[in-house]
Amino acid sequence: MVDWDWIFGHLDDIGEALSEHLLLTGLAVGVGFALSFAAALVIHRRRALYGPITAFAGIVYTIPSLALLAFLVPLTGLSVLTAEIALVSYTLLILIRNIMAGLDSVPPEMREAADGMGYTQWQRLWRVEFPLALPVIVAGLRVATVTTIGLVTVTALIGQGGLGGLMIRGFIRQFDTLIYVGAVLSVLLAIIADLALLLVQRAITPWTRMRTG
Amino acid sequence: MTSGNRDGGGTGRGKGGATVEFRNVTKRYDQGQKGPGAVNDLSFTVPAGKVCVLVGPSGCGKTTSLKMVNRLIEPTSGQILIDGQDVTGEDVTTLRRRIGYVIQQIGLFPHLTIGQNIGVVPRLLGWTQARQLERSEELLATVGLEPARYRDRYPTQLSGGERQRVGVARALAADPPVMLMDEPFGAVDPIVRDRLQNEFLRLQQELAKTILFVTHDIDEAIKMGDLVAVMEVGGVLAQFATPAEILANPASDFVARFVGADRGLKRLSLSRVRDLELRPAVTARSGDPAAEARQRILADSFPYLLLVDPEDRPIGWLDQADVPGEGRLEEARAIPMSPLVEPETTLKDALSMLLDASVQAAIVVDKGRRVLGLVTVDMISAQLHPEARPEVLAPDAAAEAAA
């Protein structure tokens, strides 16, 4: 069923697809996080914008991925840009919502303590609210990352490679091994990325693991 | 004590506070002047180095008043002056960094270690890392927490009482002349609270900060305050005076009700046995000639002879009727002792011990348990009415006992 000889003979092909997949995912989540964080800062200052901004991100989120790619290809071609626009768009809703939920979860008395001790608004955000929001923010990053790893397989349809590329080649050539390799690796990648982010979260928020004692 | 004092930030323990003056301070909320938290034309002055407790029922505006000092809330009208300077005249973050602030539920930052929490204001003020660390350790020691053990822990790893101490240490970090404390001991159990209050009073004796302290607990107000501002709902100042004055002469029915029907007892908690002129005890040692002792005790208006050991430590009482006319005094006939109190015991506690034991007199002893004298229910009750002091000592007996 699985042609192990082919696999061992094409490890470099598989490795390349894997690194393409990781790169597309990392870029999408990175850019998505930067945009979402900027949006969250805007919302943090002007609360009235929360509704409109998340409504926009929500609409984008509901567009089926294939349809979105179909809209974009006439504008930006079969390019990395097209793939990334689609991938980034899907991270926005999750990330903005989680960043805001994280900032909103900071107890009001923490803000008041910070104000009362003479933090400026900006210092309060960076040194108190953002660190306290980290567990929720990283939870959002995990969901966004896992979702994006899945979506990157779809962007193979516009020729961007990755593990989806392996699977498409498998379908075309009716070569099951390629399909299995692509599918199994993308699942493994999602699990490992999720766990890695969880470990990162624990490392950067040591206080959440401490208990009375 | 070290380099820090040069720029006034001070790593040493600075002494002295600043005068805080409320001048016609009013805060209205949209709902109208009587809404909860509103403050109406508040004027009072807290002299430098004094503890002023703002006390009143919920909604009386005491916390609002406190927060107007560091401008977490801005007054609608009026002024608050610190050492004569209007607080609104200063940049708000600069102002807050030089006012210590201890909030309800303590408000330690959970993501910072204890050392970092204490170093928050020093860091905002741009102190060097080394100086921040030195100050944190010094303050941990000041509030009775071993620096090496606590410095690197997180707040969730501490008990309520320990966190409270850290909260006070954090407020003291930049050696502010003024401290604001909003129900600082509200989150701990009564036993721990009592201990923290005592420690805080001891610390304050040393530091002499000007402290505004909010509580809803009149007992805490009486215990902690050099001055007490009793506030009514609507933010009206009902009385501003010393605890003794408020208990002795409440300015209105409201104040009288608020301090409670037991204000007489509360006043007793403000005085200690050492404030009384003790009644000398008629004492004798076991084995002394009975006849002489009998003569002395019959001459005294208090009908019990106190047997003491050679070190003057009390052993027990002998009823004057039981003192024989001849022979020697026998320890075996002594009846068990009254409660023992020390000069530092409050009159409230002394009275409580007397009532508990159903006896007339408690024996006052020093640290070595040597008899200093007696305190009676009558003497305690007389303390509440100094103008009508009954005869405390029978003059003859006093002369006898002194002989």
Side-chain angles (χ1 to χ4, degrees), chain A residues 109-121 123 127-129 131-132 206-207 210-213, chain B residues 67 70 72 93 96-97 99 101 103 107-112 120-121 123-124 153-154 156-158 170:
Chain A
E109 61 267 23
M110 287 293 109
R111 291 201 182 87
E112 193 179 288
D115 288 343
M117 280 184 290
Y119 281 84
T120 61
Q121 290 294 299
Q123 286 168 330
R127 299 197 197 164
V128 177
E129 295 174 278
L132 290 176
W207 65 90
M210 305 295 174
R211 282 292 152 251
T212 310
Chain B
K67 289 180 181 172
N70 66 359
L72 286 172
T93 55
R96 288 169 180 169
R97 288 170 193 179
I99 296 178
Y101 189 41
I103 69 166
L108 295 183
F109 295 126
H111 63 297
L112 300 181
V120 158
V121 178
R123 186 173 169 211
L124 290 171
R153 294 199 187 177
Y154 286 97
T156 48
Q157 296 173 288
L158 268 56
R170 182 172 68 171

Side-chain angles (χ1 to χ4, degrees), chain B residues 167-279:
Chain B
V168 171
R170 182 172 68 171
L172 284 168
D175 203 11
V178 177
M179 301 240 293
L180 308 177
M181 308 182 80
D182 192 356
E183 307 225 9
F185 306 130
V188 290
D189 67 69
I191 294 167
V192 175
R193 184 182 313 142
D194 191 57
R195 206 171 62 218
L196 289 172
Q197 286 170 342
N198 295 338
E199 282 175 15
F200 183 76
L201 287 172
R202 186 177 44 72
L203 196 61
Q204 165 64 5
Q205 257 183 351
E206 211 175 304
L207 300 177
K209 302 291 183 193
T210 306
I211 294 170
L212 269 72
F213 186 114
V214 161
T215 181
H216 62 270
D217 177 356
I218 185 68
D219 292 311
E220 186 170 56
I222 289 165
K223 180 172 179 181
M224 306 301 285
D226 295 312
L227 291 161
V228 176
V230 184
M231 295 178 70
E232 283 183 62
V233 174
V236 178
L237 185 62
Q239 189 166 11
F240 180 70
T242 62
E245 175 66 15
I246 281 172
L247 291 172
N249 301 306
S252 64
D253 283 351
F254 168 78
V255 178
R257 275 201 315 277
F258 190 73
V259 298
D262 63 338
R263 64 191 159 90
L265 276 179
K266 284 177 176 142
R267 280 171 65 200
L268 289 180
S269 67
L270 291 174
S271 307
R272 295 175 188 275
V273 170
R274 64 171 142 76
D275 301 330
L276 296 176
E277 201 176 331
L278 297 184
R279 177 185 186 117

